Amino acid sequence: CPIGWASPTAGASTCHICEVGTYASELGSVRCQSCSSLNGYTLRNGSSRCESCSGSPGLVCTDGHASIAAGFWAEVTDNATVL
C-alpha cells in the first residue's frame, strides 16, 4: 500500500485510506496509526504523519482530531495547514 494507506494483509491488492486522525508513514503499512497517542492530529484522509498540538495553545486535540479552543480562531489554507 502507498503511504497514507494500509491493508491488514501484507502484500494485499486492496488497501484502505487512513481516515482523519490516523496516518501511515511507510509503504506497505498493515494498519493506520492513531495520532491521539502523539498528542497530534491530521486534517485529511491519507495522511503520512501527524501534526503536533504541543506548543499550539489555540488547538485542542482529542482522538487525533483538532479543534479550536474557545477565544481563538484559525484559518485553513488550500493545503489544509492550520495557521
Side-chain angles (χ1 to χ4, degrees):
C1 296
I3 291 172
W5 295 68
S7 175
T9 306
S13 60
T14 303
C15 301
H16 64 274
I17 194 166
C18 295
E19 296 180 0
V20 171
T22 67
Y23 71 101
S25 60
E26 298 179 10
L27 292 171
S29 292
V30 294
R31 69 183 180 101
C32 298
Q33 303 291 320
S34 174
C35 292
S36 62
S37 63
L38 302 172
N39 190 32
Y41 66 95
T42 63
L43 294 176
R44 58 176 51 176
N45 293 332
S47 294
S48 61
R49 64 185 176 92
C50 298
E51 301 295 330
S52 176
C53 275
S54 299
S56 300
L59 287 180
V60 177
C61 285
T62 306
D63 296 328
H65 296 80
S67 59
I68 306 304
F72 288 85
W73 64 274
E75 177 181 343
V76 178
T77 64
D78 288 340
N79 67 359
T81 300
V82 176
L83 302 174

